[in-house]
Amino acid sequence: MGSVVVGVVGTLQGVLIGGALQQMQSSRNRRWQREDSLSDAKRRVYTEYLRAISASYAQAMSGQRDRSEDGRLNAATAEITVLSGRDVHKPACELTDTVLDVHSRIAASAGVTAVEVADVNRRRHELIERFKSDLHIAPRT
């Protein structure tokens, strides 16, 4: 009788330990999937944000300021605000405001200096490095 009890208890312990390990692995897999999904969403919105800045600049330089890219830029900025931490979304929001102002003045031929354009471009490059850091992409050397 004692060996039967030991056998049953051992089997139950095996089932419990196996179930607990399976639960831990499942939880870890879900966490990794969430992290991958968030990373994919950030990559997409960061790319759209940068594309919208470039397209907005092209519209401004051509004098065609129909604001379609401004809308895309604002939408991407809103997504960045939701998906990213303060160290990323705050500079993105500030750059968006500056880009919209400078590009509007470029399109209106309202005296934008080369220094202002270079400053916006410098800030854009700094933000790209923040995006890369947030996505755990090694910076270029």
Side-chain angles (χ1 to χ4, degrees):
M1 176 87 168
S3 62
V4 172
V5 171
V6 169
V8 169
V9 169
T11 302
L12 289 174
Q13 282 179 335
V15 168
L16 289 173
I17 290 171
L21 290 174
Q22 191 174 28
Q23 180 65 27
M24 286 174 31
Q25 180 65 32
S26 177
S27 176
R28 187 178 324 140
N29 285 341
R30 283 192 303 274
R31 187 179 70 245
W32 287 341
Q33 287 174 345
R34 278 193 310 271
E35 289 170 2
D36 287 348
S37 180
L38 178 60
S39 183
D40 289 346
K42 285 180 178 181
R43 188 177 300 111
R44 181 194 53 76
V45 74
Y46 292 165
T47 302
E48 173 59 20
Y49 178 86
L50 295 170
R51 189 212 58 76
I53 288 176
S54 297
S56 175
Y57 180 72
Q59 283 182 346
M61 291 302 289
S62 70
Q64 297 177 326
R65 198 76 176 128
D66 64 10
R67 306 281 186 184
S68 61
E69 293 306 327
D70 294 353
R72 289 182 181 93
L73 180 58
N74 281 320
T77 303
E79 284 187 74
I80 289 170
T81 300
V82 171
L83 295 174
S84 301
R86 183 172 177 78
D87 61 321
V88 173
H89 83 79
K90 188 173 187 299
C93 291
E94 291 169 354
L95 182 58
T96 297
D97 293 340
T98 302
V99 162
L100 295 175
D101 174 57
V102 170
H103 291 181
S104 293
R105 290 188 294 133
I106 289 171
S109 299
V112 175
T113 66
V115 172
E116 286 179 285
V117 173
D119 182 59
V120 169
N121 196 41
R122 178 191 54 76
R123 289 174 55 196
R124 182 180 64 87
H125 281 283
E126 289 172 356
L127 189 57
I128 289 170
E129 292 307 314
R130 286 180 188 265
F131 289 165
K132 287 180 179 181
S133 176
D134 191 40
L135 294 170
H136 307 291
I137 297 172
R140 289 185 188 177
T141 55

